[in-house]
Amino acid sequence: MEPNEFECKWIDKNEIWKIADEVRSTYWPEGILPVNIETIVEARLGLYPDPLHDLFSTTDMDAYLKSAQDWKYFIINIPEIEYRDFKWQANEFAGRLLVPRTELVSEVEKVVEIIRAKNLLGFLKDDSDAVLSRVSPALCRVFGVSTDVIEKRVKREGLWPPKL
């Protein structure tokens, strides 16, 4: 394989988000949260991931679609900078696929109303990250993702700290 085979074409986050929104709309028209990725991948795309025992602890993945030999070759040979670019783009896609912006905006607005009702706006202004870490467990349940994903999404989408 040639070194350029690992080149990660740069895709703007807005384009990634647009594609993720289109994929969700096409393959998860129910719009129900959380988005059921297993149904999308297996039933609607006809792809069957190959789960392996203990894969996550060594590769940070639960399953993959390539052969083990191809995947091992890819991981061993890809330059670090290219790997980081692929991973960043994959995370942007997955985050937007699982956490639709419209619903995220709505959930953040609900949280802000609770903060207002409890007279906690001062805390929000003083340390918005601390407040986010307190409210992210409630937000993540709606979308079926981790608190890390929610915290990244609200910041990437420009929703945190909220404009008051």
Side-chain angles (χ1 to χ4, degrees), residues 102-121:
T102 302
E103 289 81 354
L104 183 59
V105 167
S106 175
E107 293 302 318
V108 168
E109 288 171 352
K110 291 176 189 175
V111 165
V112 170
E113 287 308 312
I114 292 169
I115 291 169
R116 277 196 175 107
K118 293 187 175 193
N119 294 318
L120 300 174
L121 290 176

Side-chain angles (χ1 to χ4, degrees), residues 40-133:
I40 292 173
V41 170
E42 293 178 5
R44 298 186 179 159
L45 291 173
L47 303 172
Y48 301 97
D50 188 8
L52 291 177
H53 177 69
D54 219 19
L55 183 65
F56 190 82
S57 67
T58 58
T59 64
D60 197 27
M61 297 180 308
D62 293 316
Y64 59 90
L65 294 170
K66 295 185 90 166
S67 75
Q69 185 177 4
D70 288 345
W71 180 249
K72 184 177 178 181
Y73 178 84
F74 178 79
I75 290 300
I76 289 171
N77 291 294
I78 187 170
E80 180 65 27
I81 187 71
E82 297 298 328
Y83 177 77
R84 284 191 306 237
D85 289 348
F86 278 120
K87 187 166 183 149
W88 181 85
Q89 290 183 15
N91 286 338
E92 283 300 314
F93 176 83
R96 185 65 174 251
L97 181 70
L98 296 172
V99 184
R101 180 175 171 75
T102 302
E103 289 81 354
L104 183 59
V105 167
S106 175
E107 293 302 318
V108 168
E109 288 171 352
K110 291 176 189 175
V111 165
V112 170
E113 287 308 312
I114 292 169
I115 291 169
R116 277 196 175 107
K118 293 187 175 193
N119 294 318
L120 300 174
L121 290 176
F123 291 108
L124 182 61
K125 290 176 185 172
D126 290 341
D127 194 348
S128 65
D129 284 343
V131 174
L132 179 56
S133 71

Side-chain angles (χ1 to χ4, degrees), residues 143-160:
F143 300 97
V145 298
S146 70
T147 56
D148 288 342
V149 169
I150 281 296
E151 290 174 14
K152 284 180 187 173
R153 292 311 323 147
V154 295
K155 289 179 178 182
R156 295 291 296 149
E157 296 282 354
L159 301 174
W160 203 269

Side-chain angles (χ1 to χ4, degrees), residues 3-17:
N4 64 359
E5 73 183 313
F6 294 112
E7 187 175 340
C8 180
K9 177 185 172 202
W10 185 256
I11 303 172
D12 178 74
K13 74 174 182 180
N14 293 311
E15 183 63 21
I16 293 170
W17 291 353

